[in-house]
Amino acid sequence: MQTILERMEQVGAPPPAFWENDLEMGLAQIIPLLKDPEGMEEWTNRLTGRQINVLCESLGIACAETLKNKRIALKAHDGSLIPYRLVDHFAKFKSKTATIEFASEVLSKDLFERCRINDEEFDTTALLFAIYSLDPDDLRLVYMMHKIQKSGFARMAMENSIRVPQGSFHEFLQPERVKDVLKAVDRACGDQRIGELKEVILVDGRSVVFIRRPERPDLIIRTEGVVHGYRPEWIILDFSADAKRLNISSDSASVPLEIANGLASVWFGTECEYKNESLTTYTRQLDRFLDLIKDDQADKLLFVEIIHKNSPLQGGCKVSLSNAGSIGESVRHFEKVFGSITSAVGDIKSIKVLYHEKRVSLIFEPMDDVTDEFVVRYSDNRLNVRERRSFEELMRKNHGIPVLSTEKRHKGPARVH
């Protein structure tokens, strides 16, 4: 009797390494589910009409039949459905935005529209079935785009003014050249961990480098006992076209920055360092903004939380006001009775605004040795890429406030030589 892996190979599915290494899916936990005939039938019964139509088209099953007959026909091809059940598992908790945007680029317009539910919603599992059918390897790219959508990015800029070399920075980022820098950083760190280049892609004119590296010791429990290893860290380096600006997503602080500095140093032909970007906002701008949101007059933003470090209550204790909806009326009432908690910007630990039905934190970070200047940072990881751009534009255009991610990166002891 054929094993699940043999049946997958027979229908042309990618090898186990693709699912486990590239997509980071644990086949040991999934394969037992695939062995159960009743489980496969139940899964087929749960498929939506859009998913069934995509599968029938992908497997060459005539699609002129009723939905009931299509479902019956699919059950007769249960061996061919095995990889699609893995795709269905892959679809769980993946960014809808990443899936939709990628599908819109690679699928035909007709197929893309047939996966649409309404003006705003798509059947993203159906889209992933179609993407897999077109090219299974594209799931790797969807996974990376998912990482971008779900990650916060530290905003960095080149410390010194440097002349940009002739040529294309994206073309400069050849795999072997990037791997050489990774090896140099690994040697300098001396922690016996090896960074793995996963991909370099072009997104909206920016070069995005994906690296996976062991971050900290971890373990997993299997039936045979505990297996020791490292927790994987995904490092995303999002370079501007000229490499003078950089966004970094990572768990660790120093190693990703060293990698970016190393790539930039080779590209510019001189030692380079990126620094955390700092954009100034003045107290009077923040006062105007707080007055607007307190009076529920800020377009597209609702004031939903404030944490004050030194309240006007006796003893100056910390005060937190929070609600699912606007707290504007509550703040106005509090200030009428006890005194202002929005006038002293430096005493505000953080506020939250509701934007696109997501609670976004804003932190007013004082500039060093300056009492009237702040850097406004926000929790960009709560928003997808498109929402981040629109939020930043809204804050800049409507309120004159440039906002940066709360993420920061700092140089560590490792150096590239």
Side-chain angles (χ1 to χ4, degrees):
M1 186 175 179
Q2 283 185 314
T3 66
I4 292 295
L5 294 179
E6 288 171 339
R7 293 170 72 186
M8 287 174 59
E9 183 179 4
Q10 187 177 28
V11 298
F18 170 77
W19 305 96
E20 294 205 312
N21 186 47
D22 293 331
L23 303 187
E24 298 186 334
M25 293 169 52
L27 292 184
Q29 289 75 39
I30 304 171
I31 285 180
L33 302 176
L34 305 181
K35 293 179 179 179
D36 181 10
E38 292 184 2
M40 182 62 78
E41 182 171 358
E42 290 175 2
W43 176 77
T44 309
N45 288 335
R46 291 196 303 269
L47 294 171
T48 68
R50 296 175 188 84
Q51 294 164 9
I52 288 173
N53 287 333
V54 170
L55 288 175
C56 285
E57 185 172 327
S58 299
L59 299 175
I61 299 173
C63 290
E65 303 292 335
T66 65
L67 191 61
K68 179 180 178 180
N69 289 340
K70 291 176 187 177
R71 202 182 297 271
I72 293 172
L74 280 176
K75 292 177 182 178
H77 292 72
D78 61 345
S80 299
L81 292 177
I82 290 173
Y84 288 96
R85 193 167 179 190
L86 292 178
V87 175
D88 180 46
H89 188 85
F90 169 78
K92 299 181 188 303
F93 309 115
K94 295 300 180 297
S95 164
K96 292 183 178 181
T97 301
T99 299
I100 293 168
E101 290 185 353
F102 189 86
S104 69
E105 295 290 332
V106 301
L107 301 182
S108 68
K109 185 177 181 180
D110 175 66
L111 180 53
F112 180 71
E113 289 299 325
R114 280 190 276 129
C115 296
R116 183 185 291 275
I117 297 173
N118 54 44
D119 288 345
E120 296 181 355
E121 294 290 326
F122 282 83
D123 187 329
T124 50
T125 300
L127 288 174
L128 287 169
F129 285 166
I131 291 169
Y132 172 85
S133 178
L134 188 67
D135 186 351
D137 194 57
D138 278 347
L139 293 184
R140 293 174 53 253
L141 300 179
V142 173
Y143 190 38
M144 293 176 195
M145 298 308 293
H146 159 80
K147 295 286 186 183
I148 291 177
Q149 298 289 345
K150 294 296 183 180
S151 302
F153 282 83
R155 311 294 177 87
M156 318 290 292
M158 192 67 67
E159 184 177 22
N160 300 318
S161 178
I162 302 176
R163 183 175 180 179
V164 179
Q166 291 185 341
S168 164
F169 178 66
H170 187 72
E171 292 179 1
F172 160 82
L173 292 172
Q174 294 299 311
E176 290 307 314
R177 190 173 283 136
V178 177
K179 289 177 182 178
D180 285 345
V181 171
L182 285 179
K183 291 176 183 177
V185 172
D186 290 339
R187 286 195 302 269
C189 289
D191 56 9
Q192 307 303 310
R193 304 174 197 180
I194 299 175
E196 176 188 9
L197 174 65
K198 299 301 293 183
E199 195 67 63
V200 180
I201 62 177
L202 199 63
V203 180
D204 295 333
R206 300 176 65 91
S207 297
V208 186
V209 181
F210 295 85
I211 298 161
R212 187 170 62 189
R213 192 176 191 273
E215 188 216 348
R216 59 178 172 81
D218 207 341
L219 56 85
I220 59 173
I221 300 176
R222 290 183 172 172
T223 54
E224 63 271 23
V226 171
V227 178
H228 292 270
Y230 287 92
R231 178 183 181 275
E233 174 188 20
W234 279 83
I235 297 170
I236 306 174
L237 306 177
D238 173 19
F239 291 94
S240 63
D242 61 3
K244 285 195 169 185
R245 304 179 80 82
L246 166 71
N247 301 327
I248 296 181
S249 172
S250 64
D251 293 320
S252 61
S254 62
V255 172
L257 183 55
E258 290 296 339
I259 296 171
N261 288 342
L263 290 170
S265 296
V266 177
W267 163 246
F268 286 103
T270 187
E271 186 169 332
C272 298
E273 288 191 8
Y274 292 98
K275 296 290 185 180
N276 289 298
E277 194 171 12
S278 180
L279 301 175
T280 302
T281 298
Y282 295 96
T283 301
R284 61 180 179 275
Q285 295 171 279
L286 294 175
D287 287 338
R288 286 196 295 268
F289 174 67
L290 290 167
D291 286 342
L292 282 174
I293 61 170
K294 184 170 60 177
D295 291 335
D296 296 319
Q297 297 296 315
D299 185 35
K300 300 180 182 179
L301 299 177
L302 278 184
F303 191 16
V304 295
E305 182 176 291
I306 182 171
I307 300 177
H308 197 280
K309 295 182 292 186
N310 186 25
S311 75
L313 298 174
Q314 290 185 2
C317 64
K318 182 174 75 173
V319 167
S320 174
L321 300 177
S322 182
N323 195 17
S326 172
I327 62 169
E329 183 179 4
S330 298
V331 170
R332 295 194 301 270
H333 181 237
F334 182 96
E335 294 189 328
K336 185 177 180 180
V337 176
F338 298 106
S340 177
I341 55 171
T342 57
S343 59
V345 176
D347 285 336
I348 298 175
K349 182 177 181 181
S350 67
I351 68 170
K352 286 183 181 178
V353 294
L354 193 69
Y355 180 72
H356 283 206
E357 300 183 355
K358 298 176 181 178
R359 296 170 73 91
V360 179
S361 296
L362 288 170
I363 296 173
F364 309 140
E365 181 181 285
M367 297 284 282
D368 292 340
D369 303 321
V370 182
T371 58
D372 191 42
E373 298 178 4
F374 296 83
V375 177
V376 180
R377 300 190 179 276
Y378 78 108
S379 53
D380 60 335
N381 62 309
R382 299 301 306 274
L383 305 175
N384 64 43
V385 173
R386 187 177 299 170
E387 290 167 341
R388 291 171 206 168
R389 291 171 181 164
S390 62
F391 180 77
E392 291 174 14
E393 176 67 12
L394 173 71
M395 292 296 293
R396 184 192 62 79
K397 186 175 180 180
N398 290 15
H399 306 291
I401 298 175
V403 293
L404 299 170
S405 172
T406 53
E407 297 283 333
K408 295 181 184 179
R409 296 297 177 268
H410 300 281
K411 187 173 70 172
R415 296 298 297 153
V416 180
H417 298 288

